[in-house]
Amino acid sequence: PLLTKTNDAPNGVDNNINPGLTEAEVRADSEVTAGDVIDRVARDIKRELDYRIEADNGRRFQDSLAFLGFVTTPKVIQATDRILITEWIPGRHLQDLNREEGLALTRMAVQACTASMVLTGYVHAGTCF
């Protein structure tokens, strides 16, 4: 089975949006305007909607936490700016885990999130790098 995400953004989406300020620039400049914030959000939304970037970040995220031995991301079958097809990873709903499985999963999640925040500053793979 495959998992498919699509981006049906209109073809007329402005590709010349000002990238806005970096976080360091925001911290250094106390005169941040609403326009600066809107530009930054617009840039980040465009990056979030490009599934090639999301696919690459997923691979980089998995590689950055490989030392843990249990972090994985779905294999990418195809990625374009508007579509992402990955393998389906079967699993069970959290409510179906017994107490020991739930505790083990919780420990792994805390360990992976902590390692990710320390190493990259991010937890979500799609916007890591």
Side-chain angles (χ1 to χ4, degrees), residues 9 13 19 27 30 45 50-52 67 71-72 81 83-84 88 91-92 96 116 121 124-126 128:
V13 171
R27 289 188 187 114
S30 62
I45 287 172
D50 187 333
Y51 292 127
R52 295 169 298 194
F67 69 94
V71 175
T72 188
D81 61 331
I83 190 168
L84 176 61
W88 181 262
R92 297 182 359 234
D96 296 334
S116 180
H124 175 58
C128 281

Side-chain angles (χ1 to χ4, degrees), residues 44-95:
D44 290 349
I45 287 172
K46 282 183 60 178
R47 288 183 52 79
E48 185 69 24
L49 294 176
D50 187 333
Y51 292 127
R52 295 169 298 194
I53 295 170
E54 185 170 341
D56 187 50
N57 285 345
R59 286 187 285 272
R60 292 170 68 185
F61 180 80
Q62 180 174 320
D63 291 347
S64 75
L65 297 177
F67 69 94
L68 292 173
F70 58 80
V71 175
T72 188
T73 58
K75 178 183 172 193
V76 174
I77 307 300
Q78 181 180 358
T80 71
D81 61 331
R82 296 178 65 162
I83 190 168
L84 176 61
I85 303 172
T86 64
E87 70 178 344
W88 181 262
I89 297 179
R92 297 182 359 234
H93 194 278
L94 295 175
Q95 71 184 19

